[in-house]
């Protein structure tokens, strides 16, 4: 049982996932501090409030909603520009290096008998 557990833990996917979770938590803390320490006070000052969270209208604290939306957009932008965009460039570079054309879609696997019959049909229509 312990050997099976050891094999499970040592798989590349599990280790990669663990690293991703730790990095994601650390990255989330950085973005949170940017939003709370920099953007929230700046936006709050634009609306004459101490911070975004202090912005309210007749008891409705819409400032915390705005703060959450800004945090979400910053995290999404950071993930896109730091992870997705570089990964897409790496994939395109690899495909160019291997001679793979990204515009050409792979054809679905066709039954060889149907392909042969199609060729025979096309040959017969050309000879008529």
């Amino acid at each position: 049982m312990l050997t099976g557990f050891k094999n499970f833990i040592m798989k590349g996917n599990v280790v990669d996932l663990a690293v991703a979770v730790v990095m994601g938590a650390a990255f989330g803390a950085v973005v949170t501090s940017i939003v709370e320490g920099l953007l929230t006070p700046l936006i709050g000052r634009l609306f004459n409030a101490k911070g975004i969270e202090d912005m309210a209208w007749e008891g409705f604290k819409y400032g915390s909603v705005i703060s959450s939306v800004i945090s979400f957009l910053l995290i999404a932008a950071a993930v896109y520009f730091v992870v997705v965009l570089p990964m897409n460039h790496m994939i395109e570079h690899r495909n160019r290096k291997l001679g793979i054309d990204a515009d050409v879609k792979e054809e679905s696997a066709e039954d060889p008998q149907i392909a042969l019959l199609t060729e025979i049909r096309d040959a017969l229509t050309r000879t008529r």
Side-chain angles (χ1 to χ4, degrees):
M1 186 163 70
L2 290 177
T3 304
F5 180 72
K6 178 185 162 195
N7 291 338
F8 169 73
I9 293 298
M10 296 309 290
K11 284 184 181 178
N13 294 343
V14 174
V15 174
D16 291 343
L17 181 60
V19 169
V21 168
V22 170
M23 292 300 293
F27 188 69
V30 170
V31 172
T32 300
S33 70
I34 290 171
V35 169
E36 291 177 357
L38 183 65
L39 295 177
T40 298
L42 288 174
I43 293 173
R45 287 192 182 233
L46 290 174
F47 295 97
N48 293 324
K50 186 176 181 182
I52 294 177
E53 285 83 13
D54 294 335
M55 295 169 42
W57 178 71
E58 294 185 8
F60 294 105
K61 293 188 172 189
Y62 63 89
S64 62
V65 175
I66 293 172
S67 179
S68 297
V69 169
I70 290 171
S71 179
F72 170 77
L73 291 175
L74 283 175
I75 291 171
V79 167
Y80 177 76
F81 289 111
V82 173
V83 177
V84 175
L85 197 60
M87 187 63 76
N88 287 342
H89 285 296
M90 285 177 26
I91 290 171
E92 288 174 15
H93 178 70
R94 184 204 62 196
N95 288 347
R96 273 187 266 121
K97 191 175 181 181
L98 296 175
I100 299 171
D101 189 9
D103 295 332
V104 177
K105 302 286 184 202
E106 288 187 32
E107 295 180 15
S108 60
E110 187 176 20
D111 185 11
Q113 292 178 349
I114 293 175
L116 179 62
L117 289 172
T118 303
E119 289 178 25
I120 293 170
R121 182 199 64 202
D122 293 344
L124 287 173
T125 55
R126 284 191 299 259
T127 60
R128 287 186 185 177

